[in-house]
Amino acid sequence: MKILFASSNKNKIREINSLLAGRHTVLGLEEAGITVEIPETGSTLHENSFLKAKFVLEHFGEKSFADAVFADDSGLEVEALNGAPGVFSARYAGIPKNDVSNNIKLLEELKWTTNRKARFVTVITLIINGEVHYFEGEIKGTIAQEPRGKNGFGYDPLFIPRGYRSTFAELSAETKNAISHRAIAVNKMVKFLEKF
Ligand code: ITT
């Protein structure tokens, strides 16, 4: 199946492409010739995920030549920060969004506490045949004392998945894709798409 992925985040597109390889063809927004910044005005990951998929379908449905559209809204929720940065993960340190500044701000905010517990969450919205379906994925872990590793993107240098000593950025792309929040959500979507 040919599926349009309503994302302009190259790292997410790369991860999703390898998760769906051999099963579905994924087209990112740029590949589909769509260069707009989609407004993420929701207050939850579910809302923003839905907004992105709906926006692309409404504005570019015909252009995409795809059988379905999906979007991924993800966030890092830190227990000691009452779930922040959460839905604001991309713009945590302000606009324009910047991964390094976000990581610096997160470490600053955590200076006063020893509680480093966190979780990564992904909410996928799939719109197929006019119907909306949600798939969620979560991975628990802790926040490292300083950034470590060169792989991945975003908060990967700070996130240590439960059961590991390395951050996501120190693990290989294959290992991250075997256990991540995104992989869990994508695998649920893959299972669902078997019906079509
Ligand atoms: P699109 O909306 O175009 O898909 P985005 O970067 O704006 O891309 P989000 O709104 O989902 O994506 O923002 C989530 C932010 O959280 C993202 O910019 C990263 O900084 C971070 N993030 C998401 N998934 C991540 C992952 O697997 N590893 C590390 N950081 C991640």
Side-chain angles (χ1 to χ4, degrees):
M1 191 177 284
K2 195 167 167 186
I3 317 178
L4 182 66
F5 179 30
S7 175
S8 26
N9 182 322
K10 290 193 169 58
N11 296 291
K12 279 189 186 178
I13 296 170
R14 184 172 27 79
E15 287 187 3
I16 297 252
N17 260 315
S18 53
L19 285 164
L20 294 181
R23 291 190 253 240
H24 303 286
T25 306
V26 179
L27 218 64
L29 288 184
E30 207 180 290
E31 279 174 290
I34 301 169
T35 52
V36 289
E37 180 91 10
I38 304 173
E40 292 185 38
T41 51
S43 54
T44 62
L45 295 179
H46 276 84
E47 278 173 27
N48 277 341
S49 177
F50 172 70
L51 280 177
K52 288 190 266 192
K54 190 174 84 141
F55 182 95
V56 168
L57 195 68
E58 281 178 357
H59 291 77
F60 306 101
E62 282 176 23
K63 195 175 173 186
S64 71
F65 306 109
D67 302 305
V69 174
F70 76 101
D72 157 329
D73 205 54
S74 299
L76 178 67
E77 297 179 356
V78 180
E79 191 175 276
L81 304 177
N82 298 317
V87 73
F88 300 111
S89 290
R91 297 153 280 161
Y92 191 41
I95 294 171
K97 52 188 174 189
N98 179 291
D99 288 348
V100 174
S101 313
N102 287 341
N103 284 342
I104 292 170
K105 174 162 181 188
L106 181 58
L107 289 176
E108 272 301 310
E109 298 285 329
L110 284 177
K111 268 189 173 158
W112 58 273
T113 174
T114 51
N115 178 3
R116 316 288 292 188
K117 282 188 203 158
R119 63 176 198 146
F120 256 127
V121 184
T122 289
V123 177
I124 286 181
T125 303
L126 172 75
I127 306 183
I128 184 162
N129 297 337
E131 286 180 6
V132 180
H133 303 271
Y134 294 101
F135 306 95
E136 287 118 36
E138 175 207 76
I139 181 166
K140 291 190 164 71
T142 50
I143 301 299
Q145 297 296 335
E146 73 277 310
R148 297 194 327 242
K150 298 247 176 297
N151 301 327
F153 68 103
Y155 298 93
D156 281 346
L158 287 182
F159 185 79
I160 304 170
R162 188 185 273 178
Y164 291 77
R165 304 179 89 151
S166 308
T167 65
F168 261 160
E170 291 176 310
L171 295 171
S172 66
E174 290 72 30
T175 305
K176 183 184 173 192
N177 258 351
I179 60 172
S180 80
H181 46 308
R182 179 160 298 105
I184 293 166
V186 168
N187 290 336
K188 289 178 184 171
M189 179 173 77
V190 167
K191 188 124 198 58
F192 173 82
L193 285 171
E194 283 170 5
K195 291 194 229 158
F196 290 87

